[in-house]
Amino acid sequence: MEQKQVKLMDIALARSGDKGNGSNVGVIARSPEIYAFLDKELTAARVADHFSEIALGGVTRYDLPNLNAFNFLLEESLGGGGTETLITDAQGKVHGLALLHMEVNIDESLLSTIKHD
Amino acid sequence: MNTPKKMIRVANAQGFWGDSLLGPKRLVEEGPVDYLTFDYLSEITMSIMQKQRMRDPESGYARDFIKMLKIIMPQCKDKGIKLIANAAGVNAPACLAATKQALSEIGLEGIRIGIVEGDDILDKLDVLTNAGEELVNMDTGAALASVKNDIISANVYIGAASIVEALQQGADIVITGRASDPSLAVAPLVYEFGWSFEDFDKIASATVLGHIIECGPQCTGGNYTDWRDVQDFAHIGFPVVEAYEDGSFVVTKHDGTGGLINVESVTSQLLYELGDPARYLSPDCIADFTSIHMAQDGPNRVKVHGVKGLPPTDSFKVSMSFSKGYKILTTLCISGPDAIEKAHIVSDMVFTRMKMLGADIPEHDRFLELFGSNVLYKGIVESPDQPHEILMRLGAKGMDADKLNVMSSEIAPVLTSGPPGITGFAAGRSRASEVVGYWPALINKDKIETTVKVEEV
């Protein structure tokens, strides 16, 4: 099977926000087949490694197979939380897009499962 | 008695305090709607409102709401549109008085205003803790004693029941303090469809509905990953939900408005600020997001059904804020070559000079962000070796505001005594501002009493 390196952006969407001194990143696969692929590929450990300089307290993953989605909780990612931090992204607004910069190797056949409107 | 209807339209007109004032106006003018909800409150908003109230006893609520009423109420009255808003913030009496005043200024009569109180427990903290409520920090497990004397505000996230009561008493406008965001939308459904609060699947469905619309256009294409697919951001439609008696609903927006509603844009908002998806906690129920079914139901229409719910927990969430010292932040632009290196020299210069003036800032209270060097995507994308310019955000935290303010007098002099290519001090001197800490806790529901009052003007 031909493998292709893509950005997560090409196969998923994301939305993020703050949760106290942490943030959450919701990820939506662009097809059920890609959800199944990401189920194996996008582990909490891999996401924690991607955000190693941002999520200082580790990462937890929750699954929402009904929505082809995952929810990642990034601990200690906001420099003290929305009300007291000095960092620019005080509410983790950009953590979603930041995750979509990740590169993954995927079977090329899976890319054809993405429907284009 | 209200006659059960088959479908009602609930729209969220304000996603936060400071949202576009065009939202409510356009929702009322551009298409049909039965209820408008206004979600003004967040943790940070509550603490800002409390600070405002400490300065001026007549403030501490969403003044935007009053401005808005004057614009939309004549049409709302004509069309029978009801309003539900957590606009009272930390000062319900002042918000109620301002609402009456606004209606009288535009000469509207026969409007019934409901006010829900009881969420503010600041004055009762001693009584509550003496009665055994520990109010430990939910996130850190820390005991309240460490911050008790510095508490600025304490508000309980109340549920939909009191809002329903106000609607039952004929309220056209319901004003609350810290009601939970989704409860604002749960209430009209319970009232209109005559649902029981023990019908947990329906309550959970309404909670999901409320969660989807609580941030306004963030479910209609705003902040959406595939933004190039979104039409006409300037006229983006605020969300309108067609809610049905069986608990299912369709997320849509008025015809002719901008934005994009598809399964992905609605799912994006479902995931916003989500914790454990199987246990989304609200005062009204526990909603299970892993049970949600969604499907496209025509252009800019998404149908949601099948939501499962569980009984709520026996506690309310309490949101407290406390005084945690001060912070100062100041910015400068530094041009290349060697912009990053020069920025570090400037930072060291400022902190050294502060120390020479008796304002020694310990290492862990210092703050430096160099914009242009991958501040936001730190460690994630490759950074340019030599940016042509850097925005330096230099800051500090501490308990002594005067000490921090030394920074503001020692930042500008680096333009003449530091390395070359420093500019952009147009914003002038910054001042230390108060830092508000956030203290989330739980409180037993039977300790909280809410009151509902409806009066006609």
Side-chain angles (χ1 to χ4, degrees), chain B residues 268-344:
Chain B
S268 296
Q269 185 53 25
L270 270 174
L271 299 171
Y272 182 66
E273 292 185 345
L274 185 64
D276 177 354
R279 290 178 60 82
Y280 178 90
L281 305 180
S282 93
D284 306 315
C285 69
I286 298 173
D288 178 2
F289 281 31
T290 67
S291 66
I292 299 170
H293 286 83
M294 242 196 288
Q296 199 75 33
D297 182 54
N300 290 313
R301 290 175 64 82
V302 166
K303 187 177 166 77
V304 181
H305 65 101
V307 183
K308 297 286 177 205
L310 291 166
T313 66
D314 56 11
S315 46
F316 282 126
K317 186 175 172 184
V318 187
S319 170
M320 290 189 272
S321 60
F322 64 100
S323 178
K324 209 179 175 184
Y326 299 86
K327 65 182 175 187
I328 188 164
L329 187 69
T330 181
T331 59
L332 263 191
C333 297
I334 299 172
S335 66
D338 309 318
I340 293 177
E341 198 182 339
K342 288 190 289 190
H344 281 288

Side-chain angles (χ1 to χ4, degrees), chain A:
Chain A
M1 194 67 76
E2 281 294 307
Q3 291 264 312
K4 194 180 172 190
Q5 189 178 60
V6 298
K7 282 217 159 113
L8 206 50
M9 175 88 69
D10 300 323
I11 58 172
L13 303 89
R15 165 81 37 99
S16 61
D18 63 324
K19 300 288 297 170
N21 186 23
S23 54
N24 91 303
V25 178
V27 175
I28 308 160
R30 292 186 189 270
S31 74
E33 293 81 1
I34 287 174
Y35 177 80
F37 164 75
L38 290 177
D39 185 26
K40 292 193 212 81
E41 190 72 19
L42 201 59
T43 59
R46 175 117 197 240
V47 173
D49 185 50
H50 185 73
F51 282 109
S52 64
E53 290 188 37
I54 291 174
L56 306 178
V59 169
T60 310
R61 183 181 108 172
Y62 294 100
D63 300 350
L64 298 94
N66 55 317
L67 302 174
N68 292 320
F70 305 94
N71 186 31
F72 294 92
L73 291 189
L74 279 51
E75 304 291 342
E76 292 173 43
S77 59
L78 298 180
T83 57
E84 56 189 89
T85 186
L86 284 162
I87 63 171
T88 296
D89 188 19
Q91 288 155 325
K93 296 277 182 198
V94 310
H95 291 171
L97 280 183
L99 180 58
L100 297 181
H101 276 274
M102 183 191 281
E103 293 187 337
V104 291
N105 289 311
I106 186 170
D107 284 345
E108 237 175 333
S109 62
L110 284 178
L111 297 177
S112 63
T113 64
I114 300 170
K115 62 175 169 43
H116 296 279
D117 300 323

Side-chain angles (χ1 to χ4, degrees), chain B residues 235-255:
Chain B
H235 296 91
I236 193 165
F238 275 62
V240 178
V241 182
E242 299 171 2
Y244 295 87
E245 219 172 340
D246 65 359
S248 67
F249 58 90
V250 172
V251 183
T252 185
K253 59 190 183 70
H254 288 332
D255 289 342

Side-chain angles (χ1 to χ4, degrees), chain B residues 51 61 84 106 113 144 285 382 384:
Chain B
K51 277 200 254 177
Y61 62 91
I84 301 173
I106 56 170
I113 308 166
L144 183 68
C285 69
E382 239 171 82

